[in-house]
Amino acid sequence: MPCDAWSQLRDSLRLSDRELQIVQGIFEDQKQESIAYSLGISPHSVNTYIQRIYNKLKISSRPQLIVRVM
């Protein structure tokens, strides 16, 4: 996805910059540990962000998130 598209997605879904980074990792099919490593945060923090994203978007799974992004 082009950079502008990610920015538009962030704005339309009202995500923080960090939440957007997590969504990008999920969209690239990265595991939580891989996302954590690439962002320099703990896997637990990634899990917390994922739960916040799910709550914010009223979804409950990675496939639902992918559909929402598409």
Side-chain angles (χ1 to χ4, degrees), residues 26-43:
I26 292 170
F27 192 77
E28 294 169 358
D29 200 30
Q30 294 180 5
K31 303 290 183 206
Q32 285 182 212
E33 294 78 15
S34 177
I35 295 170
Y37 180 79
S38 67
L39 297 177
I41 60 177
S42 74

Side-chain angles (χ1 to χ4, degrees), residues 11-54:
D11 295 343
S12 70
L13 297 179
R14 297 184 175 170
L15 300 174
S16 69
D17 289 337
R18 181 63 88 188
E19 289 170 340
L20 180 64
Q21 291 171 325
I22 302 293
V23 169
Q24 287 173 308
I26 292 170
F27 192 77
E28 294 169 358
D29 200 30
Q30 294 180 5
K31 303 290 183 206
Q32 285 182 212
E33 294 78 15
S34 177
I35 295 170
Y37 180 79
S38 67
L39 297 177
I41 60 177
S42 74
H44 177 75
S45 293
V46 172
N47 186 54
T48 299
Y49 278 111
I50 290 171
Q51 294 308 312
R52 287 181 188 167
I53 292 164
Y54 287 179

